[in-house]
Amino acid sequence: TSFAGRDNRYNNIQIDGANLNNNFGLSSDLLPGGSNQPISLDAVEEVSVNVSPFDVWQGGFTGAGVNVATKSGTNTLKGSAYYLFRSEQMNGTKIGNTELTNLAKQSNKIIGATIGGPIIKDKLFFFVSGEVEEEDRPGISFTPTGGSGTGNISSTPIDSLRKLSDHLRTKYNYETGAYDNFPNFQTKNYKVLGKIDWNLSKVHKVTLRYQEMVGTDDQVVNGSSIPNAATFTPAGGSGINRLPNNRFSLNSMSFANSNYAFENTIRSGALEVNSSKGSKWANQFITTFTRTSAIRVYDGATMPAVDIFNNNGQNYMSFGTDPFSNNNQVKNDIFTITNNFKLYKGKHTLTFGGTYDYQFVGNMFMPGSQGHYVYNSLDDFINDRAPIFYSYLFSLVPNKDAVFAAELKVGQGAAYIQDDIAVNERFKLTIGLRADLPIYPQKPIENPNITQLTFPDAEGKNVNYSTGIWPKSTPLWSPRVGFRWDVDGDKSTIIRGGSGLFTGRIPFVWLTNMPQNSLMYQQGSAITNATTLAGIKYTTQLDAYKSLFNPTPGAIPNNANIVLIDPNFKFPQVWRTNLAVDKRLANGWSLTMEAIITKDVNAVRMRNANEKAANTTLTGSDNRPAFIPANNTSRRLYSNIASAIVLENTNKGGGIVLTAQVNKTLTKGFSASASYTYTAAWDVTSNPGAQATSTWQSNPAVTSQNAEELAMSGFVVPHRFMAWVSYRKEYLKHLATSITIFYEGRNQGNLSYVVNGDLNGDGNGSADLMYIPRNQSEMNFLPITGATPYTVQQQRDAFDAFINSSPYLRKRRGQYAERNSALQPWIHTINLNFQQELFTNIGKRKNTIRLQADVLNFANMLNKNWGHRFINTLSGNNPLQYVSTTNGVPAYRMTLVSGKLPTAPFQLNRSLASTWSAQIGIRYIF
């Protein structure tokens, strides 16, 4: 989960002190390895999550610090073996009046074991864990019109898919793979962990740990991004640089062989030495390493990527190799060394420490290196007519078709000092100071042609950015103060809190974007000129049109996307204040109330320095800034450069978290907990992506993606209720039954209502926040023609119903939609865990066989009308398709969903996501 409304990439997770973060940050996952859990939960002894710890030795995050301690051996030999299983037969099939039929086969199997004990009693101990997991699951939930009807029905006709697949097989000997009844996705991995604990002497204790995970993880083809994108205009549509629909959606379909998989490898080790001398001093020394690798693989031959549009200006078919998967690999090596020394002096406990984290990041990312075509229609493709868009990316390194364009070496050192003062028996005060320093041991290769360009900085001053230097290594200071007050001296009422600065990291992909796009290692560009496109015909030869580009290192091609970094850029830093009360009540009950306030000091944003200020405004009810005429000369500083994204800081943003929690400690087998959390967080951008250009483009705004428009964070869940009740009963001396019920209620997420198309003419066709008309008189629609025609009045009526069906849109008539401020529907989830134990002593050792069953969305098992209901928003957030502007007034057509006018932003996801599912298992414990 994300913490305090922040991207998981701002969190810091450590396993026995070893960095196990998603450091590169291609996704917002907390851990590396994709869907593969890199460490077995049965190897974990304890997990602690700290959002606002005021111990200065905890750092490297502006979200949360997650510290995981693995199990160790003891003087008693202990172990376990377990098997967990689920399949499609352990899923519900009824969602209200909908019954799912012909369920695809799916299964998940986990088998594992642990064992730990003494090698030399009281001296040397071992612990070993091993686990294998295999999952077989449906990966594509869409089916074409006229197809099997299983899943969500897309408007793409099966006849068109069949025609395209047959044509590719006959003419190009290319197998597309399935286009209905898709084969299942698979996740496979194994993970092992070994640990040695050695009581070397009365003073020194040594721990050595090694962990490894290797796995594969199937993925769906990229959603809507276009490699090396420049704005182009499909027939019947407006200027775009991203596809209107995901390649699998209610309006579009692709093929099985366009999907891909990650091959993930994670290896990690740690050496820890703890030393102490009674009540005088203690020292902790930790050194760790972690090596991760993720490479993309796919079925079928490497083919150009192709997107095909319909007469409504929407993509509806795609085929070929995923446009971002050819020549794609990430590797990350991390080495960390930490030392903490504690000195005990009366009421004072002094901590002196330091840590150094060194990382090597290699990124091979060559989007569109197999070529990418876009066609106006299926007929145009089959009859070898010219495409409306073509792009290609190639290596500039001699004799290498695949290159690691970004190889980054970066270190982050920290030093800190802290004093824990026991003021009296009731009051403890913590005062500390931490300094973090990013270090860049190796410079990237400079492109002198980029250095010569002049761009405005954040203040509007013209400067020259260099791709040959990293940001300045500036110390970031983090003073903190915390306290803990036992009000009555009996721990019945504890007041705790503090305030201070926290310094974190960023996903390193944001740094590597600069050398990746410096045009010194690789070059990619797009062709949108009709005259040049007339000479392009589809071919399976990947580099057939390489000669149309200028393959000179450093040369800036037309529509180039370059990335720059502000020389004063700083790693993220927040100021955070916390206040909490823990109250012990009667009969084992306790109450906790907590408030956390966060203010951004150095937040991260991306700005397109090549974008001019708008030269006019629209007229009428929607009067936002705009570029008229909408061309590269009016909107670009350098007309031949598509974007120049600068990584820089802003101090705008922050948030608040309020939590109340009631707990019941275990008494006579009964325990319980209930909590409510309110979260509000605002930012200039939630940085929704990994590529600099797409991250900037994907940040919705009214005026410009460059404007510092403060809005709700994309990771906020405003209201969350959680509760669980557990009861365990032992009986007949050898049996025990446990039942746990867990409840969560929350909004499914948030979204931004945007216009489909380039409304303001800035060249970005996916992020203009929608104006919500007061009434139908402000709705300027054009008729929809073609196979499914609709009149202007039919669209007005449908859009009016669309607005009225959304509480958010209804309240904002006459205003612009806000970024990430519309909440998706509320969902209620109840999960059940049941365990039946049989135990007995064999010798002096207790042996237990435990049978367990887990039911997710348990309420749906009880009643088909109950339980959570996941929804589709695939076309719900962009109901308007921009067509044209006349005299400053924009005209639209409604975006069709499955060939129909949408009258509501959400619809039920009629798939297994909305039904109950179960897992059974058996475990032997000794």
Side-chain angles (χ1 to χ4, degrees):
T1 186
S2 60
F3 298 95
R6 294 186 174 268
D7 189 329
N8 274 327
R9 293 175 292 184
Y10 290 113
N11 301 325
N12 181 28
I13 184 166
Q14 294 185 323
I15 310 292
D16 294 330
N19 181 325
L20 200 66
N21 292 290
N22 176 17
N23 293 293
F24 196 67
L26 288 176
S27 70
S28 59
D29 294 333
L30 178 63
L31 296 165
S35 298
N36 298 287
Q37 180 78 17
I39 187 169
S40 169
L41 291 177
D42 274 64
V44 173
E45 179 69 27
E46 183 180 76
V47 177
S48 64
V49 179
N50 295 297
V51 177
S52 54
F54 297 102
D55 295 308
V56 292
W57 57 268
Q58 298 193 60
F61 59 89
T62 54
V66 182
N67 297 297
V68 178
T70 59
K71 293 178 180 178
S72 296
T74 66
N75 276 332
T76 302
L77 186 67
K78 297 179 181 179
S80 66
Y82 52 93
Y83 176 72
L84 301 171
F85 174 77
R86 66 175 184 264
S87 74
E88 79 282 354
Q89 297 178 347
M90 300 161 71
N91 285 300
T93 58
K94 296 180 179 179
I95 313 164
N97 294 325
T98 299
E99 183 166 4
L100 305 178
T101 58
N102 301 320
L103 295 183
K105 288 189 175 183
Q106 63 173 323
S107 65
N108 182 273
K109 303 174 184 177
I110 300 176
I111 184 170
T114 67
I115 188 169
I119 298 174
I120 302 174
K121 188 176 181 180
D122 297 328
K123 191 78 172 178
L124 190 61
F125 311 92
F126 78 97
F127 175 82
V128 177
S129 168
E131 184 175 286
V132 176
E133 179 177 9
E134 294 184 1
E135 181 179 21
D136 190 73
R137 68 190 188 279
I140 304 298
S141 63
F142 295 97
T143 184
T145 296
S148 64
T150 301
N152 300 296
I153 298 176
S154 172
S155 61
T156 303
I158 195 170
D159 290 344
S160 297
L161 292 165
R162 183 183 297 114
K163 182 178 180 180
L164 176 57
S165 183
D166 291 346
H167 175 76
L168 292 169
R169 181 185 303 109
T170 301
K171 186 170 182 178
Y172 301 105
N173 196 32
Y174 173 64
E175 293 294 336
T176 63
Y179 45 87
D180 193 11
N181 294 315
F182 289 88
N184 277 5
F185 281 9
Q186 293 185 332
T187 298
K188 299 180 180 180
N189 68 75
Y190 75 83
K191 59 202 72 161
V192 295
L193 181 144
K195 190 174 183 181
I196 294 290
D197 292 278
W198 184 13
N199 294 332
L200 189 61
S201 67
K202 292 182 179 181
V203 175
H204 304 293
K205 296 181 180 180
V206 179
T207 298
L208 184 64
R209 193 261 305 157
Y210 176 79
Q211 173 258 331
E212 175 177 295
M213 190 282 292
V214 177
T216 59
D217 186 13
D218 286 346
Q219 302 288 316
V220 67
V221 63
N222 173 274
S224 61
S225 296
I226 299 172
N228 313 304
T231 302
F232 64 96
T233 304
S238 62
I240 60 172
N241 50 22
R242 290 172 67 87
L243 300 179
N245 304 307
N246 284 340
R247 290 180 171 92
F248 279 108
S249 76
L250 294 173
N251 290 316
S252 53
M253 293 288 291
S254 187
F255 298 88
N257 284 353
S258 293
N259 299 322
Y260 64 95
F262 281 113
E263 288 187 352
N264 295 290
T265 304
I266 301 171
R267 294 182 173 91
S268 175
L271 170 66
E272 180 175 351
V273 180
N274 286 286
S275 307
S276 63
K277 190 68 172 179
S279 60
K280 295 181 179 180
W281 59 267
N283 192 78
Q284 179 191 48
F285 171 82
I286 303 174
T287 181
T288 70
F289 79 91
T290 303
R291 303 191 69 181
T292 66
S293 172
I295 185 171
R296 293 197 188 193
V297 295
Y298 42 85
D299 293 331
T302 302
M303 294 283 285
V306 177
D307 294 305
I308 298 175
F309 280 66
N310 58 24
N311 57 7
N312 289 323
Q314 294 181 297
N315 61 298
Y316 82 117
M317 285 197 297
S318 303
F319 75 87
T321 302
D322 176 277
F324 296 88
S325 290
N326 187 51
N327 298 333
N328 187 323
Q329 182 181 3
V330 173
K331 52 187 179 182
N332 185 199
D333 298 339
I334 311 121
F335 174 77
T336 304
I337 184 168
T338 302
N339 196 84
N340 296 315
F341 178 77
K342 290 184 179 294
L343 184 64
Y344 306 105
K345 290 288 187 180
K347 293 183 178 182
H348 299 268
T349 300
L350 299 172
T351 300
F352 306 90
T355 182
Y356 181 70
D357 184 280
Y358 170 82
Q359 299 204 34
F360 167 79
V361 178
N363 182 26
M364 179 191 293
F365 179 56
M366 304 184 71
S369 57
Q370 76 274 40
H372 181 242
Y373 301 75
V374 179
Y375 287 86
N376 253 334
S377 68
L378 176 60
D379 190 61
D380 281 357
F381 173 76
I382 288 179
N383 289 287
D384 267 346
R385 299 190 186 107
I388 59 173
F389 174 92
Y390 176 79
S391 77
Y392 179 70
L393 181 141
F394 47 85
S395 167
L396 295 173
V397 179
N399 304 317
K400 284 190 177 181
D401 293 330
V403 295
F404 281 89
E407 292 187 313
L408 168 67
K409 296 177 181 178
V410 60
Q412 189 165 7
Y416 39 86
I417 182 172
Q418 179 171 298
D419 188 5
D420 294 302
I421 308 169
V423 178
N424 55 44
E425 292 182 354
R426 297 184 181 184
F427 193 85
K428 178 183 176 181
L429 182 66
T430 298
I431 301 174
L433 178 64
R434 179 185 177 105
D436 290 88
L437 180 69
I439 301 168
Y440 305 94
Q442 181 177 326
K443 292 182 179 181
I445 298 176
E446 179 188 16
N447 183 341
N449 294 323
I450 293 178
T451 306
Q452 291 175 6
L453 302 175
T454 301
F455 292 102
D457 64 10
E459 303 299 324
K461 180 182 177 182
N462 288 331
V463 298
N464 298 93
Y465 294 94
S466 172
T467 60
I469 58 172
W470 296 115
K472 297 175 183 177
S473 295
T474 304
L476 295 171
W477 298 92
S478 298
R480 299 179 202 167
V481 59
F483 71 92
R484 187 177 186 276
W485 179 27
D486 183 354
V487 178
D488 300 314
D490 60 359
K491 299 182 181 180
S492 61
T493 303
I494 303 293
I495 300 177
R496 53 184 170 82
S499 187
L501 292 175
F502 294 81
T503 302
R505 304 180 180 91
I506 64 170
F508 289 130
V509 63
W510 293 346
L511 291 176
T512 63
N513 275 320
M514 184 173 71
Q516 190 86 45
N517 291 270
S518 68
L519 305 169
M520 299 301 293
Y521 303 90
Q522 61 191 41
Q523 186 182 106
S525 192
I527 298 173
T528 58
N529 178 273
T531 302
T532 307
L533 289 168
I536 294 178
K537 306 293 183 183
Y538 176 81
T539 173
T540 58
Q541 182 182 340
L542 305 185
D543 61 352
Y545 301 104
K546 181 177 179 179
S547 61
L548 296 177
F549 304 92
N550 182 7
T552 303
I556 301 176
N558 194 39
N559 290 317
N561 293 290
I562 62 177
V563 179
L564 309 164
I565 300 178
D566 183 347
N568 295 312
F569 174 80
K570 298 179 178 65
F571 275 23
Q573 194 172 45
V574 301
W575 170 54
R576 182 165 289 153
T577 300
N578 165 262
L579 182 63
V581 177
D582 301 313
K583 178 65 177 177
R584 190 174 65 206
L585 308 173
N587 300 318
W589 289 92
S590 62
L591 171 67
T592 294
M593 294 183 293
E594 188 162 5
I596 302 172
I597 300 174
T598 301
K599 174 68 177 70
D600 281 305
V601 177
N602 297 315
V604 179
R605 69 173 298 219
M606 299 187 191
R607 177 180 59 89
N608 183 3
N610 196 50
E611 182 179 86
K612 294 180 180 179
N615 57 15
T616 187
T617 60
L618 300 178
T619 59
S621 53
D622 186 347
N623 58 2
R624 76 184 71 205
F627 295 90
I628 300 178
N631 57 42
N632 293 341
T633 301
S634 67
R635 62 194 174 210
R636 295 178 181 177
L637 185 63
Y638 297 97
S639 61
N640 67 314
I641 296 178
S643 64
I645 306 300
V646 183
L647 182 67
E648 58 191 25
N649 296 117
T650 177
N651 61 4
K652 293 183 178 181
I656 183 171
V657 178
L658 303 175
T659 297
Q661 183 177 32
V662 178
N663 289 298
K664 174 70 168 67
T665 57
L666 185 64
T667 306
K668 296 182 179 180
F670 175 77
S671 58
S673 176
S675 65
Y676 164 73
T677 301
Y678 169 77
T679 303
W682 305 270
D683 56 30
V684 169
T685 172
S686 297
N687 293 306
Q691 299 179 72
T693 303
S694 62
T695 298
W696 174 77
Q697 290 173 344
S698 302
N699 193 54
V702 174
T703 56
S704 164
Q705 277 66 51
N706 282 349
E708 293 188 87
E709 296 180 6
L710 205 59
M712 185 180 290
S713 168
F715 300 95
V716 163
V717 178
H719 306 282
R720 172 176 280 164
F721 290 91
M722 299 179 69
W724 59 265
V725 176
S726 183
Y727 180 74
R728 185 176 189 273
K729 176 69 174 178
E730 292 190 9
Y731 51 97
L732 299 180
K733 297 183 179 180
H734 297 285
L735 298 175
T737 300
S738 301
I739 298 177
T740 300
I741 297 176
F742 172 85
Y743 164 79
E744 180 185 23
R746 61 175 175 85
N747 291 102
Q748 188 170 319
N750 56 25
L751 56 84
S752 307
Y753 285 103
V754 297
V755 173
N756 184 348
D758 188 9
L759 171 61
N760 63 358
D762 64 353
N764 185 6
S766 61
D768 293 327
L769 287 169
M770 185 175 75
Y771 172 77
I772 304 144
R774 291 180 176 87
N775 48 52
Q776 289 194 12
S777 68
E778 292 188 341
M779 301 179 189
N780 188 20
F781 284 110
L782 298 177
I784 296 176
T785 59
T788 53
Y790 291 96
T791 67
V792 168
Q793 190 57 48
Q794 285 176 312
Q795 294 177 78
R796 285 177 174 173
D797 292 340
F799 191 43
D800 215 28
F802 187 98
I803 294 172
N804 288 330
S805 69
S806 165
Y808 175 79
L809 295 176
R810 213 166 46 234
K811 292 178 182 178
R812 291 196 64 82
R813 282 186 179 269
Q815 303 176 70
Y816 293 104
E818 305 157 293
R819 184 175 69 247
N820 300 324
S821 295
L823 299 179
Q824 297 179 27
W826 195 274
I827 60 172
H828 302 272
T829 302
I830 297 177
N831 299 330
L832 171 72
N833 171 262
F834 175 83
Q835 297 181 8
Q836 179 62 53
E837 294 183 3
L838 170 64
F839 53 85
T840 188
N841 286 346
I842 299 178
K844 296 182 178 180
R845 183 172 297 141
K846 182 178 180 180
N847 286 251
T848 302
I849 295 178
R850 177 188 296 161
L851 303 176
Q852 75 176 67
D854 300 284
V855 182
L856 305 181
N857 198 12
F858 178 61
N860 178 254
M861 174 183 277
L862 299 178
N863 189 305
K864 65 180 183 179
N865 295 311
W866 297 352
H868 65 222
R869 294 286 189 270
F870 280 105
I871 50 89
N872 283 326
T873 58
L874 298 177
S875 295
N877 72 322
N878 57 351
L880 298 181
Q881 180 179 335
Y882 167 71
V883 180
S884 61
T885 298
T886 303
N887 297 324
V889 178
Y892 305 93
R893 293 187 179 98
M894 284 201 74
T895 301
L896 300 181
V897 179
S898 298
K900 299 179 181 179
L901 292 173
T903 56
F906 309 113
Q907 59 181 310
L908 179 65
N909 186 334
R910 292 177 173 85
S911 71
L912 295 178
S914 297
T915 67
W916 65 267
S917 61
Q919 174 181 265
I920 59 174
I922 184 170
R923 184 181 300 267
Y924 170 62
I925 307 168
F926 65 90

